[in-house]
Amino acid sequence: MPFKTDFIWGAASSSYQVEGGAYDDGKKASIWDVLCAQPGRIKDGSSGEIACDHYHRYTEDVALMRQIGLKAYRFSLSWPRIIPNGHDGIVNEKGLAFYDRLIDSLLEKGIEPYVTLYHWDMPHEAQLRGGWLNPEFPRWFERYAKTVTARFGDRVKNWITINEPQCAIGLGLEVGNHAPGLKLPMAEVLLAGHHLLLAHGRAVAALRAHAKAKSSISFAPVGTVCYPVEETAENIQAARAATFEDWNRGCWAPAWFSDPVFFGRYPEGALKRFGKDAPAFTAEEMRLISQPLDVCSINFYQGYPVRAAELPARWVQEPHPAGHAHTAFGWPVTPSAFYWLARFYHERYQKPVLITENGLSNTDWIGCDGRVQDTARIDFLRRHLRELERAVNDGIPVNGYFHWALTDNFEWAEGYQQRFGLIHVDFQTQKRTLKQSAYWYKEVIHANGENL
């Protein structure tokens, strides 16, 4: 049997993308509420103020998860719903109570909750005090982590501290098309990233100290992996090096955030590349950042082919051929890279791998027969899961797979133009419709992947 009997088959979401209820029951604005109110920031002029209305419809959504047969549901907590100001530690009881109800509903249906502390919706009040650039930010995050662990740690056993730090920092503070929408000098971008890593470390410590149940804790970067054009030893080594050590990608290179977490050090090549822009740090800070994690969680959407090259280049990226398949988002479809993602990350960090996001944006609509025939998504998932099966067969420990996303939702700067869900959402009526991919995924879960 390729996948172990307790393999985790799940789907994922994030608070701002699905919950709505933007100002209900004591919640205050997040940085995304503020960004969405600025004209021209979101392509269709929309916001997550209502989104999928999950805040009011979570029981319906949990019932649909059960219908699909999900073993687990990954979701994020809304920090401004729980500690509305972010920085002061004043707790909103109604916010905590919502997640009590959601967690209990999941467990009643036999669905394991996987909780992400931060999926980009920082309280606006915290941003007004400097956000990631404030040296006190890690302590604010630690207090938030302590609060939610003390409340939910008797039932939640799986925690993810921060989702895709590359996007939170790179898109939010360097490129500026994600909240808070800033374009800062590289020195400030890297300092903010260092504070993010310190926040992660303090959160891990709080989770270990206050969880009542034995917990699995991880960190979920996005893994844009390079893969060998042809599987020769030279090309494989070139792809491995290009994946982690392409410092021309700046803080987007996976090793910049992952090496400190797993090894307790920044990559030497990156420090040389960044020079005076690199953040100052102490040995004590690196020990805090690198507290032991239980798994290596990774989000994956696309990869790039490379081949070996003569020194000093070491590798060269190959262009995708004309007519190569792309998703509705314009991202290349590269299922073979999924195998190399699992292999390279396990080899480097020596932890079991957990795929915390994988999926595609597709042009989905409800047909005349009332069904959503998303055959492209089914083919995409089959191809990717076969590559994950290959990794498992090669002895790479893979603990589970979370499809992104459970439902169509608010896709950040794209608004509602991109549909990633297993469940179609009519954003005018909030009607949910299981897509054909949801029924297909149900069969995969039931067969534990033996029907791929």
Side-chain angles (χ1 to χ4, degrees):
M1 183 178 296
F3 295 102
K4 58 183 184 175
T5 55
D6 60 349
F7 190 82
I8 303 153
W9 297 99
S13 74
S14 85
S15 51
Y16 190 76
Q17 292 181 274
V18 301
E19 283 182 4
Y23 302 102
D24 289 4
D25 297 330
K27 179 186 174 294
K28 286 190 175 182
S30 76
I31 55 176
W32 273 96
D33 290 307
V34 173
L35 187 78
C36 290
Q38 299 173 17
R41 287 289 196 170
I42 309 303
K43 285 188 177 179
D44 59 6
S46 64
S47 76
E49 188 168 346
I50 298 173
C52 304
D53 200 26
H54 179 71
Y55 186 72
H56 301 106
R57 298 171 179 264
Y58 71 92
T59 54
E60 177 184 359
D61 291 337
V62 172
L64 290 171
M65 296 179 214
R66 177 63 175 168
Q67 185 176 342
I68 296 171
L70 298 183
K71 304 297 183 184
Y73 175 51
R74 180 193 169 205
F75 62 97
S76 71
L77 305 175
S78 170
W79 188 358
R81 196 180 295 284
I82 293 170
I83 301 178
N85 292 326
H87 63 92
D88 59 11
I90 298 175
V91 174
N92 176 31
E93 173 59 32
K94 289 183 178 179
L96 288 171
F98 166 68
Y99 294 109
D100 274 330
R101 296 192 297 272
L102 174 58
I103 290 165
D104 289 345
S105 181
L106 289 167
L107 292 172
E108 287 168 6
K109 298 293 186 182
I111 301 168
E112 193 69 26
Y114 277 65
V115 173
T116 303
L117 297 182
Y118 186 75
H119 198 133
W120 310 350
D121 50 350
M122 182 190 300
H124 177 57
E125 291 293 329
Q127 177 60 35
L128 289 177
R129 287 161 176 79
W132 293 114
L133 283 172
N134 191 316
E136 289 300 307
F137 189 97
R139 293 190 181 275
W140 302 343
F141 196 71
E142 176 185 31
R143 187 160 47 202
Y144 163 55
K146 178 180 177 181
T147 298
V148 300
T149 312
R151 182 63 169 253
F152 310 129
D154 58 334
R155 288 156 290 163
V156 175
K157 300 175 183 177
N158 297 278
W159 300 89
I160 297 160
T161 57
I162 296 171
N163 184 75
E164 294 186 356
Q166 299 99 324
C167 296
I169 300 299
L171 296 182
L173 302 181
E174 182 183 9
V175 178
N177 63 349
H178 276 202
L182 305 178
K183 295 182 179 181
L184 300 178
M186 183 54 70
E188 292 187 6
V189 171
L190 297 177
L191 178 61
H194 185 64
H195 290 163
L196 179 149
L197 289 170
L198 289 169
H200 157 79
R202 289 191 173 277
V204 172
L207 290 165
R208 298 284 186 210
H210 299 286
K212 300 176 182 67
K214 180 176 172 54
S215 298
S216 175
I217 302 173
S218 64
F219 176 74
V222 61
T224 302
V225 71
C226 296
Y227 60 96
V229 173
E230 298 155 349
E231 294 187 11
T232 66
E234 295 78 11
N235 286 340
I236 291 169
Q237 180 54 33
R240 183 184 290 110
T243 292
F244 294 106
E245 301 170 22
D246 184 356
W247 307 125
N248 289 324
R249 295 165 63 191
C251 65
W252 288 91
W256 179 251
F257 283 106
S258 292
D259 277 15
V261 164
F262 288 103
F263 298 150
R265 62 179 184 270
Y266 283 111
E268 284 297 324
L271 292 175
K272 292 178 182 177
R273 174 70 168 79
F274 293 135
K276 62 181 178 59
D277 288 336
F281 54 89
T282 66
E284 182 180 354
E285 286 179 331
M286 300 314 291
R287 283 193 294 270
L288 175 63
I289 290 168
S290 60
Q291 294 174 82
L293 298 181
D294 299 285
V295 295
C296 179
S297 295
I298 326 167
N299 299 349
F300 174 79
Y301 291 95
Q302 57 184 304
Y304 298 96
V306 301
R307 68 171 63 253
E310 297 295 328
L311 292 174
R314 299 172 62 197
W315 67 79
V316 60
Q317 183 176 316
E318 294 282 326
H320 293 294
H324 186 85
H326 286 76
T327 71
F329 218 136
W331 298 343
V333 178
T334 56
S336 62
F338 210 27
Y339 165 81
W340 296 103
L341 176 91
R343 176 168 162 177
F344 288 162
Y345 273 75
H346 175 64
E347 286 175 346
R348 188 175 183 92
Y349 299 119
Q350 293 296 299
K351 294 288 183 181
V353 170
L354 178 66
I355 304 300
T356 35
E357 291 183 23
N358 173 244
L360 85 159
S361 170
N362 194 38
T363 53
D364 303 329
W365 63 85
I366 299 177
C368 294
D369 58 359
R371 297 188 294 176
V372 182
Q373 302 279 13
D374 58 335
T375 54
R377 178 170 289 105
I378 292 172
D379 187 72
F380 179 97
L381 294 180
R382 189 190 302 274
R383 290 173 185 270
H384 281 74
L385 289 173
R386 282 177 173 175
E387 293 296 328
L388 200 62
E389 181 180 42
R390 178 189 171 195
V392 171
N393 287 337
D394 279 359
I396 298 166
V398 182
N399 285 0
Y401 172 89
F402 285 84
H403 178 268
W404 184 271
L406 174 69
T407 61
D408 295 334
N409 53 40
F410 176 77
E411 186 51 39
W412 309 114
E414 297 290 316
Y416 294 96
Q417 296 181 352
Q418 306 290 343
R419 291 183 178 270
F420 279 88
L422 294 167
I423 300 170
H424 181 278
V425 178
D426 182 321
F427 295 108
Q428 280 66 55
T429 66
Q430 293 296 335
K431 179 182 177 182
R432 274 79 160 135
T433 302
L434 293 183
K435 301 178 186 179
Q436 291 306 109
S437 59
Y439 294 107
W440 178 86
Y441 193 40
K442 178 177 183 176
E443 294 175 359
V444 171
I445 295 170
H446 181 72
N448 198 35
E450 290 193 46
N451 57 346
L452 293 171

